[in-house]
Amino acid sequence: MEPLTLRLEPVNVDAGLVSELAGGLRRIFAVEVRVGKGLSPGAVLEFYDEEREQVRADLLVEELARLLPPVALILIDADAYVERLNFVFGIAKPGWGGVVFLARLKPEFYGYPSDESLLLERLLKEAVHELGHALGLEHCRNPRCVMRFSNSIVDVDSKTPYFCARCSRLLQQMHPGILRL
Ligand SMILES: [Zn+2]
Ligand SMILES: [Zn+2]
């Protein structure tokens, strides 16, 4: 089987952070990770709700899935929501890829000093989570598993960037050889 290619496309995200994330993903997934040139913020602005100061994530992901082939992961330095939820850290479209929104992963958002390594750790967890959905996994109840749903930043910080044994097994069944660990 051809190894999967994962394309990372940042929107207004620091290139150093993106390349660190690519390294983290390569340590977990046995896929080729390519960092794209990035998308223009214009692609996202159309889905920006001025009043909420948030991106409408569910509409955006459908548009991105029309523009980019699978597997894609888009990183956007903005806050986002979907109907009936105050915010989302990210969103996925099974069979295509996902989007991670950085605003609420930053310690500054909660009044803490900025911390690049904490931001990277959180970004890796949410990226792996959305990729897990993209590859066919659903939420998991194991509190350490990366597929645990995160309702708050405390939830993000208390899980690991790794799939639990059960999720790893399911993922390997759907995509043999996709995990390095
Ligand atoms: Zn999820
Ligand atoms: Zn799990």
Side-chain angles (χ1 to χ4, degrees):
M1 207 174 89
E2 286 271 304
L4 276 178
T5 298
L6 164 63
R7 182 164 152 192
L8 280 185
E9 289 288 357
V11 180
N12 284 351
V13 177
D14 175 70
L17 185 65
V18 178
S19 93
E20 297 253 26
L21 173 66
L25 292 171
R26 287 187 193 105
R27 283 190 289 276
I28 294 174
F29 295 101
V31 301
E32 190 181 334
V33 180
R34 286 192 200 152
V35 179
K37 289 200 191 82
L39 302 180
S40 102
V44 177
L45 271 179
E46 203 185 320
F47 300 94
Y48 190 75
D49 183 321
E50 304 261 352
E51 260 169 52
R52 295 182 62 133
E53 300 183 320
Q54 287 178 306
V55 176
R56 177 72 190 264
D58 47 341
L59 301 181
L60 173 69
V61 77
E62 291 300 329
E63 173 68 7
L64 292 172
R66 274 190 286 274
L67 296 174
L68 302 168
V71 180
L73 185 70
I74 320 304
L75 311 168
I76 303 177
D77 191 1
D79 190 16
Y81 76 106
V82 297
E83 228 177 2
R84 293 191 300 274
L85 284 184
N86 288 333
F87 73 91
V88 291
F89 291 116
I91 191 163
K93 184 175 167 68
W96 173 71
V99 185
V100 178
F101 298 95
L102 273 71
R104 290 177 194 255
L105 300 178
K106 295 180 178 180
E108 305 92 290
F109 188 89
Y110 307 94
Y112 292 97
S114 92
D115 180 338
E116 281 292 305
S117 72
L118 181 56
L119 174 59
L120 175 63
E121 202 179 300
R122 291 169 170 175
L123 178 59
L124 179 63
K125 290 174 187 178
E126 290 312 298
V128 173
H129 181 95
E130 299 310 341
L131 288 170
H133 283 314
L135 296 167
L137 289 179
E138 291 180 7
H139 285 148
C140 176
R141 288 197 199 163
N142 182 328
R144 305 283 291 158
C145 178
V146 73
M147 291 314 293
R148 170 78 174 237
F149 173 70
S150 296
N151 215 3
S152 71
I153 199 66
V154 176
D155 295 343
V156 177
D157 288 341
S158 58
K159 69 185 181 184
T160 71
Y162 306 113
F163 298 102
C164 71
R166 183 181 154 275
C167 290
S168 297
R169 207 164 46 236
L170 287 170
L171 200 52
Q172 296 276 19
Q173 278 166 10
M174 294 185 280
H175 306 276
I178 198 161
L179 291 178
R180 278 193 209 285
L181 308 170

